[in-house]
Amino acid sequence: MRKTFRKLGHYIYGLILAIILVTVIHVVAGTKIDSSSISVDTTNISNLSANATLKDALDALYVKAEARESMECPPYYMCIKLKSTPEVGDYIKMTPTLRSFATDKTKTGYGSSQTIYPYKVNLWRVIKVNNDGTIEMVSNEPSSEEIDFYGKAGYMNYIGYLNVLASKYENSKYTVGSRHMGYSNQTEYLTDDTKLNEMRPWTCSTGESCHPENYESLGGGDLGYVNDINLVQNVYGKLRSTYKYFIASRTYEGATSGLWYFRPRYVEDNLKAENLVWGYTDISGAYSYFHLRPILILKSSINYKLSAGTINDPFVLE
């Protein structure tokens, strides 16, 4: 059984006063009676003096009701605290406005357009509450549709186009922004492909001694994904989800034996990377196909229905 503690004092106070006024006191219209001037029988009311007034009795009952709110949950009850504003970890129900969107194959590098259905992603989870009152929430599950990127064009457009796709999950009534999970001011679209056309442009990998990430705008990879990874892990305790999904971050690997790879990051059991451009004696393209996991930013002025914020009782936007 679900039981919720609410402010009982107001109701008790008003109910007793109404009963007294209706059943005991009959006054001529316009006559005012001060509750502090009415005496009561205090025989069965503890902590009241013998000369207590009606006001004293009502105040005592109100204090008792207020104290009850702080009591622990009674035996055999499941008590759920209702909240008016979401907190980190809470679930929110929100349906994106757009029903479908066809991708631009010149951005993905894939041979044909692909279709996503944003309206299907309607359960979200709060990962951050900002000082300005806006709320950042990630899709509880990735999109059910895969998106395929291919080769050099896919690698160069990868982060920017993931952000475009994430924006299709917005609802302008409630949201003020979006990003794909992993984005943190990295170069969205690479415009210089010099390094992608070189044979093994760096001899180590992103984050290692020769620091390809210092050439992030040339495709050397980045470490900007860490913030979102930490936010999601803090809430879920893991990164793994129902589907493997993209992370908006590039990485370069200068492997041994002359091999090298330009890769997008993704999550399977944990954080991984998949080839889009690679080389040995020549430069080749590869396919990378995973699901989307958008992050949306909610307006600060939203009204929420009282909710427990759980997956079974998520916040509903009004």
Side-chain angles (χ1 to χ4, degrees):
M1 179 183 297
R2 167 174 155 170
K3 182 176 178 65
T4 302
F5 286 109
R6 299 179 181 274
K7 291 189 177 297
L8 303 176
H10 298 293
Y11 304 119
I12 294 173
Y13 192 101
L15 180 60
I16 293 175
L17 182 59
I19 292 173
I20 292 173
L21 289 175
V22 171
T23 62
V24 179
I25 304 173
H26 180 71
V27 298
V28 178
T31 302
K32 295 183 179 179
I33 298 179
D34 187 347
S35 62
S36 63
S37 68
I38 303 174
S39 61
V40 295
D41 182 357
T42 62
T43 304
N44 296 314
I45 304 178
S46 60
N47 299 322
L48 284 180
S49 63
N51 59 347
T53 65
L54 173 61
K55 179 179 184 302
D56 296 330
L58 293 175
D59 286 345
L61 288 171
Y62 179 82
V63 169
K64 285 185 178 181
E66 287 287 295
R68 183 175 177 81
E69 292 182 23
S70 63
M71 292 172 58
E72 294 183 0
C73 189
Y76 312 112
Y77 282 85
M78 181 179 72
C79 300
I80 299 175
K81 179 183 178 182
L82 298 183
K83 297 178 285 188
S84 59
T85 306
E87 301 171 351
V88 170
D90 286 342
Y91 291 86
I92 294 178
K93 195 84 169 178
M94 193 213 75
T95 301
T97 305
L98 201 60
R99 290 193 63 83
S100 65
F101 177 77
T103 62
D104 182 347
K105 62 183 181 180
T106 67
K107 293 293 192 295
T108 63
Y110 189 59
S112 60
S113 179
Q114 303 155 82
T115 303
I116 60 173
Y117 300 91
Y119 79 97
K120 293 183 179 181
V121 179
N122 57 17
L123 186 63
W124 307 80
R125 199 165 184 190
V126 178
I127 57 174
K128 186 178 181 182
V129 178
N130 297 311
N131 292 334
D132 63 359
T134 58
I135 289 175
E136 299 181 21
M137 60 183 190
V138 68
S139 63
N140 188 53
E141 295 287 349
S143 67
S144 57
E145 309 87 34
E146 285 183 339
I147 295 297
D148 202 323
F149 287 84
Y150 176 77
K152 187 168 70 173
Y155 188 79
M156 295 179 73
N157 299 323
Y158 170 66
I159 294 179
Y161 203 58
L162 281 182
N163 283 341
V164 169
L165 296 178
S167 72
K168 304 307 174 184
Y169 291 81
E170 290 196 50
N171 182 324
S172 59
K173 182 178 179 180
Y174 304 114
T175 60
V176 290
S178 61
R179 66 178 181 275
H180 194 278
M181 182 176 164
Y183 178 68
S184 179
N185 297 318
Q186 299 99 322
T187 302
E188 291 190 280
Y189 299 97
L190 304 183
T191 57
D192 187 335
D193 63 356
T194 302
K195 295 297 184 181
L196 277 76
N197 293 323
E198 284 187 20
M199 304 295 284
R200 201 182 185 198
W202 298 282
T203 57
C204 71
S205 301
T206 302
E208 293 183 352
S209 58
C210 67
H211 299 293
E213 68 274 11
N214 290 344
Y215 305 91
E216 187 264 339
S217 64
L218 299 177
D222 65 84
L223 304 175
Y225 64 91
V226 175
N227 183 60
D228 279 348
I229 292 293
N230 289 340
L231 289 174
V232 171
Q233 279 188 319
N234 176 55
V235 168
Y236 288 93
K238 62 179 182 178
L239 293 176
R240 183 178 180 179
S241 193
T242 304
Y243 304 109
K244 294 184 286 187
Y245 59 92
F246 285 114
I247 294 295
S249 175
R250 302 180 183 93
T251 183
Y252 168 84
E253 182 178 337
T256 57
S257 303
L259 285 165
W260 72 95
Y261 309 92
F262 290 93
R263 295 171 159 175
R265 300 186 195 270
Y266 73 98
V267 167
E268 189 175 13
D269 294 325
N270 47 46
L271 189 66
K272 297 184 177 181
E274 180 81 357
N275 300 341
L276 272 179
V277 179
W278 65 281
Y280 180 53
T281 57
D282 58 5
I283 300 172
S284 303
Y287 292 94
S288 186
Y289 42 93
F290 301 109
H291 300 255
L292 306 173
R293 198 166 190 188
I295 292 174
L296 303 183
I297 303 174
L298 291 175
K299 297 177 180 178
S300 60
S301 57
I302 294 174
N303 292 320
Y304 302 90
K305 293 184 179 178
L306 285 174
S307 168
T310 63
I311 193 168
N312 294 318
D313 186 18
F315 280 94
V316 177
L317 310 184
E318 295 184 331

